[in-house]
Amino acid sequence: GLDTIRVLTNATKYSSVIEKGIAQGKVNIVVSVDSGTRETFVKIKKHDFYDKVWENITRYASVQKKSNLVKTKFILIPEVNSSQSEVYAWIQKSKDAGIRHVAYDIEWDWFKQNQNNIPDFIYDITRYILDKVKENNLEIELIDRGGLIADKLK
């Protein structure tokens, strides 16, 4: 009887139940890929499920009737995945997979330690993300710390 159910997943396993829920508009998923390239994906996730995850994202996205039911999320981890090339690769992979909505956040532990002295490059990469998302006609959900930084750019 719920209107929609949000599932946070790493998408390493494909679920026909989730697929059915997406197709019916009753389930939306957020896949935290946190990378655009295989090398960075493996560095962060510690396993090479890169192709499988993107294959599953593409399959889920292909059954959505509303374009906001399948999202990829990028959690920025400074000095790990914080380059423009990594962000650009994530946006392109998402778009190629049929994703129209993405999400952005900043890693909690790093932010907690640096919240009183956020370096300029965090503002720069956040601005870059917002610009590239707009250029690619995508929608973005700014989550927690990502939203706090984006709000300071206005």
Side-chain angles (χ1 to χ4, degrees), residues 22 28 32 40 44 62 74 82 90 107 115 127 133 136 138 150 152:
I22 292 168
N28 67 70
S32 187
T40 302
I44 293 169
S62 73
F74 193 96
S82 56
W90 162 63
E107 201 274 327
Q115 65 187 336
R127 185 176 294 108
V133 163
N136 283 278
L138 302 176
K152 291 183 180 184

Side-chain angles (χ1 to χ4, degrees), residues 91-144:
I91 290 170
Q92 291 307 305
K93 285 293 282 187
S94 296
K95 191 173 173 182
D96 291 347
I99 300 299
R100 305 301 310 148
H101 290 251
V102 296
Y104 169 62
D105 198 358
I106 299 170
E107 201 274 327
W108 164 247
D109 287 329
W110 181 91
F111 191 85
K112 186 175 162 186
Q113 292 174 8
N114 295 279
Q115 65 187 336
N116 295 321
N117 191 24
I118 302 292
D120 287 343
F121 84 88
I122 296 294
Y123 294 100
D124 294 342
I125 197 71
T126 299
R127 185 176 294 108
Y128 180 82
I129 289 169
L130 296 173
D131 289 347
K132 291 301 171 191
V133 163
K134 185 175 181 180
E135 283 175 22
N136 283 278
N137 296 312
L138 302 176
E139 299 292 326
I140 189 164
E141 178 182 349
L142 298 166
I143 300 173
D144 299 328

Side-chain angles (χ1 to χ4, degrees), residues 31-45:
V31 183
S32 187
V33 292
D34 310 327
S35 61
T37 64
R38 176 187 309 280
E39 178 184 39
T40 302
F41 182 92
V42 172
K43 183 188 287 187
I44 293 169
K45 305 297 184 182

Side-chain angles (χ1 to χ4, degrees), residues 29-98:
I29 66 170
V30 179
V31 183
S32 187
V33 292
D34 310 327
S35 61
T37 64
R38 176 187 309 280
E39 178 184 39
T40 302
F41 182 92
V42 172
K43 183 188 287 187
I44 293 169
K45 305 297 184 182
K46 308 296 185 213
H47 296 284
D48 189 1
F49 294 123
Y50 181 81
D51 290 333
K52 178 56 89 179
V53 166
W54 282 107
E55 177 185 315
N56 290 341
I57 290 168
T58 302
R59 287 178 68 189
Y60 288 136
S62 73
V63 300
Q64 65 183 344
K65 292 177 179 62
K66 293 190 287 185
S67 66
N68 64 342
L69 297 179
V70 180
K71 292 179 184 173
T72 61
K73 181 167 80 170
F74 193 96
I75 300 174
L76 185 81
I77 307 166
E79 299 182 28
V80 175
N81 66 352
S82 56
S83 70
Q84 287 185 359
S85 61
E86 195 66 40
V87 166
Y88 185 77
W90 162 63
I91 290 170
Q92 291 307 305
K93 285 293 282 187
S94 296
K95 191 173 173 182
D96 291 347

